[in-house]
Amino acid sequence: MQPMQLFDLAFRQNEWLAQRQSVISSNVANANTPGYKAREVESFDDAMQTAMPMATTNSQHLGAAPYGPIRNGDSGGKAEVLVSGNDVNLEKEFFNSGEVMRSYTLNTQILKTFDRMLQTVTKV
């Protein structure tokens, strides 16, 4: 992977994280709105797979894992639908918000480290 591709990938992930945080905020803001259905953003892996599909260059290379990312805190079922018809689960939304924050922090730290490495290599 070339340096510019890494920066582009990190930029795309930051855009995706911002979009996901916006959707989570909308879900929390509408937690008491009758009939509101919680929304979720497509996973980053799925978004990147459709935007930049991986090509196999050698038949002996390992393929992608046959399962998606494990989501801690997700019961796997639908949220309880209240009498008002609202299915927002605040606990899940706050967990997702923390997950976004951790991912953004990790992404930022990786970019800072890579930038420092590039600056060290290019110093004359």
Side-chain angles (χ1 to χ4, degrees):
M1 182 172 280
Q2 295 178 359
M4 291 306 148
Q5 290 175 337
L6 178 66
F7 284 122
D8 184 47
L9 181 63
F11 179 75
R12 287 180 186 225
Q13 185 179 28
N14 280 342
E15 286 180 327
W16 178 83
L17 289 168
Q19 180 65 36
R20 184 165 187 226
Q21 187 62 41
S22 176
V23 169
I24 292 168
S25 299
S26 177
N27 288 344
V28 171
N30 289 295
N32 292 326
T33 303
Y36 182 81
K37 302 296 181 200
R39 299 180 303 154
E40 181 60 67
V41 177
E42 173 184 32
S43 76
F44 185 69
D45 293 339
D46 291 342
M48 284 293 96
Q49 187 63 23
T50 56
M52 301 180 334
M54 299 291 284
T56 305
T57 56
N58 187 324
S59 62
Q60 294 181 344
H61 288 168
L62 295 176
Y67 49 85
I70 297 172
R71 303 210 24 134
N72 294 330
D74 190 8
S75 62
K78 293 281 185 186
E80 176 184 353
V81 177
L82 305 176
V83 176
S84 65
N86 187 316
D87 70 349
V88 175
N89 181 342
L90 288 176
E91 182 179 342
K92 179 183 176 206
E93 298 304 326
F94 290 138
F95 176 81
N96 289 344
S97 182
E99 189 177 76
V100 167
M101 183 185 70
R102 286 186 301 275
S103 296
Y104 182 75
T105 302
L106 177 64
N107 195 23
T108 303
Q109 291 300 320
I110 289 171
L111 277 176
K112 284 181 182 179
T113 303
F114 190 71
D115 182 55
R116 275 186 261 135
M117 287 172 39
L118 281 177
Q119 287 179 7
T120 301
V121 170
T122 57
K123 283 185 182 178
V124 179

